[in-house]
Amino acid sequence: MNHLPFPALPVLPTMGVGSMAAPGWFIASWRAARKGEWGAHDIEELFEDATRIVVADQMEAGVDVISDGELRRQRFVYEMFDRLSGLERVPPRRRLGIAGYDSAPHFRVAGELEAPDGLGAVEEFALLKAMAPDFPVKVAIPGPLTFLQAIELNGDDRDGVLERLVALAHAEVSALADAGATLVQIDEPGLPRAPHGLSIAEGADAIGRCLEGVPAKTAVHVCFGNNTGRPFADRRIAPMMDAIESLRCDLLMFEFANREMAELDLMASLAGSFTIAAGVIDVKNFLVEDAETVAGRIALCLDHIPAESLWITADCGFSALPRYIAQQKLAAMTAGAAQARASL
């Protein structure tokens, strides 16, 4: 795949998956803004200030590839639905008790699916580059399966809706590359549990078509779900291997830490075709790893993945953790990677 040139990185480079833990004042302020108490300029200043904080958190931890923290998105996708025309919102099925997947908003098709002003990732990238001009950066967007699983079809043409979502995602990552992004990522919690009767193979094909011909380094995060720190799918990689091997991307990202580093042996067959970003930080656990634990997990990865094909990351985004714990986990990730580099 032909890319824009990607900046040089150390061996075992570190990065987050995408979302970062927001400062408490941002959460309180955003609640007020959503009630209509803030003006447009106030809201823009809020997002810029909070993004500056989470970018600084990554820099201070020594992370090699920086993201903007996805603060403009609730659970990394729902604000993007607001940018789509042709949908109407369906009230959550459940509002009482612990928040979960069944208390998230759903949508139904009400017209032609369009994103007249894009999905917003290009604007996020521009701000990120301005804040981290000397760092390699990346931008992640939800994949078509993630959008599709929140849409109630009610007799609508599933494949037609999926094709529109693939086209919209492809347009967004292409626009990111045109804007200068050298690493673009598709996040897909929809792959392990493909929606609306799709097979995993059909899901992988849809993801691949989102990245086809995009002149940037491309990544796919195979996610098992992280709504308030909980998964929602069969958390095994083995049943997906044929589909994963067919993905048309450069970098594959997997959860390992919260699964006790299971199925690392499967990576040996993938490492010849893909760079592997291994999750060695458990973001679904308040227990903070130390550097030695992280270095030990990386050593297990190196038993199956050559060092030149291994990147270091967390299992998923940090948005479901308090910021002080996320900061400690980021520091442990980079310190563990430094120990692992020294041992090579």
Side-chain angles (χ1 to χ4, degrees):
M1 193 176 291
N2 296 321
H3 326 131
L4 298 170
F6 192 74
L9 293 170
V11 67
L12 306 179
T14 58
M15 66 177 180
V17 168
S19 69
M20 290 290 154
W25 55 262
F26 169 81
I27 296 169
S29 300
W30 183 225
R31 286 173 181 163
R34 288 174 74 92
K35 293 177 183 177
E37 298 174 8
W38 292 40
H41 177 80
D42 306 319
I43 293 171
E44 193 59 31
E45 184 178 87
L46 170 68
F47 281 125
E48 287 193 14
D49 288 348
T51 300
R52 190 171 286 108
I53 290 290
V54 299
V55 167
D57 283 349
Q58 294 168 80
M59 291 179 178
E60 289 169 12
V63 174
D64 297 305
V65 180
I66 305 295
S67 81
D68 78 330
E70 301 176 1
L71 298 181
R72 294 175 186 267
R73 314 180 206 167
Q74 179 190 10
R75 290 291 177 264
F76 97 98
V77 64
Y78 289 112
E79 269 69 20
M80 285 190 167
F81 276 106
D82 292 339
R83 290 176 165 268
L84 295 178
S85 61
L87 292 176
E88 62 181 18
R89 188 173 287 248
V90 178
R93 299 183 181 93
R94 181 177 63 85
R95 295 182 183 272
L96 304 179
I98 299 297
Y101 296 96
D102 57 349
S103 54
H106 281 67
F107 305 84
R108 65 170 61 99
V109 177
E112 186 70 18
L113 289 181
E114 300 287 353
D117 298 312
L119 298 176
V122 175
E123 294 87 340
E124 293 174 6
F125 169 71
L127 180 61
L128 175 60
K129 279 302 294 179
M131 291 184 175
D134 301 322
F135 279 78
V137 301
K138 71 162 184 175
V139 182
I141 70 165
L145 307 182
T146 300
F147 283 106
L148 184 64
Q149 68 188 3
I151 297 175
E152 297 179 359
L153 294 178
N154 299 325
D156 296 296
D157 174 20
R158 180 198 69 182
D159 294 343
V161 173
L162 178 60
E163 285 306 305
R164 286 300 305 142
L165 295 170
V166 167
L168 294 172
H170 184 270
E172 193 75 6
V173 293
S174 298
L176 281 164
D178 290 344
T182 52
L183 175 56
V184 294
Q185 176 182 312
I186 296 286
D187 288 326
E188 264 304 7
L191 182 61
R193 195 174 79 175
H196 297 301
L198 286 168
S199 68
I200 293 174
E202 289 170 326
D205 177 70
I207 296 166
R209 285 186 284 118
C210 294
L211 298 172
E212 217 162 45
V214 175
K217 194 175 186 70
T218 56
V220 174
H221 174 220
V222 180
C223 178
F224 297 117
N226 187 28
N227 189 341
T228 63
R230 291 190 295 276
F232 79 144
D234 179 351
R235 295 190 298 160
R236 293 177 298 153
I237 297 170
M240 298 186 286
M241 278 296 286
D242 288 346
I244 287 170
E245 288 171 348
S246 74
L247 283 168
R248 299 184 290 278
C249 66
D250 303 300
L251 177 67
L252 290 173
M253 306 169 67
F254 294 103
E255 302 182 21
F256 289 112
N258 74 75
R259 301 187 310 115
E260 306 302 328
M261 307 306 289
E263 298 187 297
L264 274 171
D265 57 303
L266 298 177
M267 297 300 104
S269 65
L270 296 174
S273 303
F274 304 93
T275 299
I276 305 296
V280 296
I281 295 291
D282 185 356
V283 298
K284 302 172 188 180
N285 193 334
F286 270 47
L287 177 68
V288 177
E289 297 89 345
D290 56 27
E292 290 71 25
T293 297
V294 174
R297 290 171 179 170
I298 295 171
L300 293 174
C301 295
L302 288 167
D303 287 340
H304 305 281
I305 307 165
E308 63 272 16
S309 298
L310 178 62
W311 288 24
I312 306 305
T313 188
D315 283 342
C316 201
F318 284 98
S319 61
L321 285 172
R323 181 172 167 234
Y324 75 96
I325 290 181
Q327 288 173 306
Q328 294 175 56
K329 284 179 173 279
L330 272 177
M333 181 177 74
T334 57
Q339 286 190 19
R341 287 186 198 118
S343 69
L344 291 176

